[in-house]
Amino acid sequence: MTSILTGDIINSRSVASKEWLPLVKTAFKTVGETPKTWEIYRGDSFQIEINKPENALLFAIELKTILKKNKNLDVRIAIGIGSKNDDYKNITEGSGEAFINSGEAFDKLLKKQNLAIISPWQEIDNIFNTAFAIALLTIDNWTVNSADFVAMCLKKPNTTQKLIAKELNISESSASERRKRAGFDEIMQLEKLYRELIIKKTNT
């Protein structure tokens, strides 16, 4: 069981690729090597395997923070969970349930929202596609400051808000306001629920 993320960068043509492409590649390289684990193609489309499906949502959120640090950019991400055939050298040539589910989520569900999932479990899909739609009301409207704050919190999850404020060179009260505006605590609750349910499903 694995997860395949298929996506594309929104408004990529409005921003020079040198401003965002190296950051995306750096994030992808933390997962594995191209082209077996990830590939960027057609300039702004990508596929990447997150081999532990419970980590897929967190990676998607991290990718959102990277792109939304530029006020003109965003990203659409389809998460597909399932089995796969390992007989390929380039991820874009991969096959199996995870690839099919990711492609279907991208083609059908991302017309209405920027984050979606198809898994082997219909009840999971129903829960999280609804939850994602609600969460995206906040995430899709992150400002550059919100994206910076969330990125810092994800990078240093055990750091106090006081130290986060110091890292960002803002007051603690300003950090608290950014936390609220970004919906950080609620989004992390969603990520925790996703992680717990996916682990439960993949272990049964």
Side-chain angles (χ1 to χ4, degrees):
M1 193 74 69
T2 190
S3 64
I4 301 296
L5 276 57
T6 302
D8 60 10
I9 313 303
I10 298 172
N11 295 329
S12 63
R13 294 183 181 181
S14 69
V15 179
S17 61
K18 65 182 180 181
E19 294 188 27
W20 58 267
L21 187 56
L23 300 176
V24 171
K25 286 184 175 180
T26 296
F28 284 5
K29 287 176 183 177
T30 65
V31 176
E33 295 299 320
T34 187
K36 176 73 172 180
T37 303
W38 62 269
E39 183 73 25
I40 297 172
Y41 54 95
R42 293 204 306 261
D44 62 359
S45 299
F46 63 85
Q47 274 198 316
I48 183 167
E49 178 182 9
I50 307 298
N51 62 12
K52 292 185 177 180
E54 64 268 24
N55 293 335
L57 178 57
L58 182 59
F59 186 84
I61 294 170
E62 289 173 342
L63 198 55
K64 277 272 192 183
T65 68
I66 290 170
L67 273 304
K68 290 189 75 66
K69 285 183 181 181
N70 187 305
K71 64 180 181 180
N72 296 313
L73 296 178
D74 204 341
V75 60
R76 300 191 303 160
I77 304 170
I79 300 172
I81 297 178
S83 58
K84 68 165 186 171
N85 181 344
D86 258 330
D87 187 24
Y88 60 87
K89 294 182 179 180
N90 189 311
I91 191 170
T92 58
E93 299 171 355
S95 62
E97 183 182 31
F99 286 94
I100 292 170
N101 286 343
S102 185
E104 185 175 350
F106 185 87
D107 291 337
K108 295 182 179 180
L109 302 183
L110 293 192
K111 292 178 180 179
K112 295 183 178 180
Q113 59 193 65
N114 290 336
L115 178 63
I117 183 172
I118 293 181
S119 73
W121 315 290
Q122 184 65 53
E123 71 276 18
I124 289 290
D125 298 348
N126 291 341
I127 291 169
F128 286 114
N129 282 319
T130 300
F132 292 168
I134 295 170
L136 287 168
L137 294 174
T138 298
I139 296 172
D140 283 348
N141 290 297
W142 276 345
T143 62
V144 172
N145 285 340
S146 294
D148 272 334
F149 180 84
V150 175
M152 183 65 69
C153 290
L154 295 179
K155 183 179 179 181
K156 300 183 176 182
N158 298 317
T159 302
T160 65
Q161 186 165 282
K162 184 175 182 179
L163 290 176
I164 293 289
K166 187 176 180 180
E167 288 271 358
L168 295 172
N169 197 30
I170 59 176
S171 67
E172 194 170 351
S173 62
S174 293
S176 179
E177 282 301 313
R178 288 190 188 185
R179 188 184 195 101
K180 291 177 183 177
R181 285 197 300 269
F184 180 75
D185 293 324
E186 293 79 8
I187 290 164
M188 287 300 98
Q189 288 174 17
L190 173 58
E191 195 279 332
K192 181 182 178 183
L193 176 63
Y194 170 89
R195 181 176 298 275
E196 290 173 348
L197 289 181
I198 295 299
I199 288 175
K200 183 177 179 180
K201 283 292 187 180
T202 54
N203 289 339
T204 55

